[in-house]
């Protein structure tokens, strides 16, 4: 059987299983549950909001998180950078905004670093949101034992560390080419 046909047969079998489960699950006295997908609302963050966050005393990680969540590149002028600096926005947060802009005119997933994960946890971001951000950005971590200990010392939960370790399995290995010996 060809691969294309096998995939079609497999998809049909999976659809049949889902339909059977839905039919059998609906035989009880329970009300049917209708699931409606809801797209998350992303509100673009403005320069004024970033300045307000800095003046309110939010950490650099909270500001970086707000920029990430907005999924929007914020083009900055030299005057904007000066205004951010005067408001107390850290150089690291400003650099992050500049990297997002230089990467693309539209927001593109920027891989997280270990320091950013620890910073998000220190800023009080829930584990589920940190894991979702790691997954969304497609970040692959190659943690060593020392990295795991450092993350635990910085307050990162075992659940987040386990997911960071799991990302290594998601990385696609480079193809291995074997050369046939000359005969």
């Amino acid at each position: 059987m060809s691969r294309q046909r096998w995939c079609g047969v497999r998809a049909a079998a999976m659809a049949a299983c889902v339909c059977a489960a839905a039919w059998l699950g609906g035989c009880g006295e329970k009300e049917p549950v209708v699931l409606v997908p809801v797209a998350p609302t992303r509100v673009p963050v403005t320069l004024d909001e970033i300045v307000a966050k800095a003046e309110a005393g939010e950490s650099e990680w909270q500001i970086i998180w707000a920029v990430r969540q907005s999924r929007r590149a914020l083009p900055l002028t030299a005057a904007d950078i000066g205004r951010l600096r005067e408001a107390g926005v850290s150089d690291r947060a400003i650099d992050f905004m500049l990297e997002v802009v230089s990467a693309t005119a539209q927001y593109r997933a920027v891989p997280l670093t270990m320091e950013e994960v620890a910073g998000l946890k220190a800023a009080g971001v829930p584990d589920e949101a940190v894991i979702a951000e790691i997954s969304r950005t497609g970040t692959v971590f190659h943690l060593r034992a020392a990295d795991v200990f450092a993350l635990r010392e910085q307050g990162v939960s075992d659940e987040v560390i386990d997911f960071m370790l799991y990302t290594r399995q998601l990385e696609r290995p480079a193809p291995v080419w074997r050369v046939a010996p000359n005969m």
Side-chain angles (χ1 to χ4, degrees):
M1 186 179 306
S2 72
R3 179 181 168 95
Q4 192 173 25
R5 183 169 174 171
W6 171 248
C7 290
V9 169
R10 189 171 161 206
M14 288 178 66
C17 289
V18 169
C19 290
W23 180 72
L24 290 173
C27 292
E29 298 176 12
K30 296 186 244 172
E31 293 277 328
V33 177
V34 178
L35 299 176
V36 179
V38 178
T41 306
R42 301 283 185 213
V43 179
V45 66
T46 65
L47 186 66
D48 293 331
E49 291 171 336
I50 293 171
V51 168
K53 287 178 179 295
E55 289 174 347
E58 290 193 19
S59 71
E60 70 181 17
W61 299 110
Q62 290 170 317
I63 292 171
I64 289 172
W65 180 253
V67 172
R68 276 185 177 277
Q69 289 301 102
S70 73
R71 295 187 182 193
R72 175 178 170 241
L74 187 64
L76 299 175
T77 64
D80 293 337
I81 293 171
R83 182 174 170 212
L84 289 169
R85 190 108 192 260
E86 289 171 7
V89 177
S90 70
D91 287 350
R92 182 180 228 160
I94 294 171
D95 288 343
F96 175 79
M97 288 182 256
L98 291 171
E99 286 173 19
V100 170
V101 170
S102 67
T104 179
Q106 298 175 349
Y107 183 83
R108 178 179 88 148
V110 178
L112 291 170
T113 63
M114 277 183 20
E115 294 79 18
E116 288 176 321
V117 170
L120 290 172
K121 286 306 299 168
V125 176
D127 288 348
E128 297 79 23
V130 174
I131 290 170
E133 187 67 8
I134 293 169
S135 180
R136 185 189 67 76
T137 60
T139 305
V140 175
F141 291 96
H142 296 275
L143 301 179
R144 299 181 322 256
D147 298 330
V148 172
F149 294 129
L151 287 166
R152 290 186 85 194
E153 286 177 8
Q154 295 175 14
V156 178
S157 71
D158 286 345
E159 183 181 0
V160 172
I161 294 171
D162 287 345
F163 188 79
M164 291 170 73
L165 291 166
Y166 172 72
T167 62
R168 193 173 198 168
Q169 297 173 15
L170 301 177
E171 185 176 40
R172 297 183 72 175
V176 177
W177 299 96
R178 297 187 198 265
V179 178
N182 293 334
M183 297 192 151

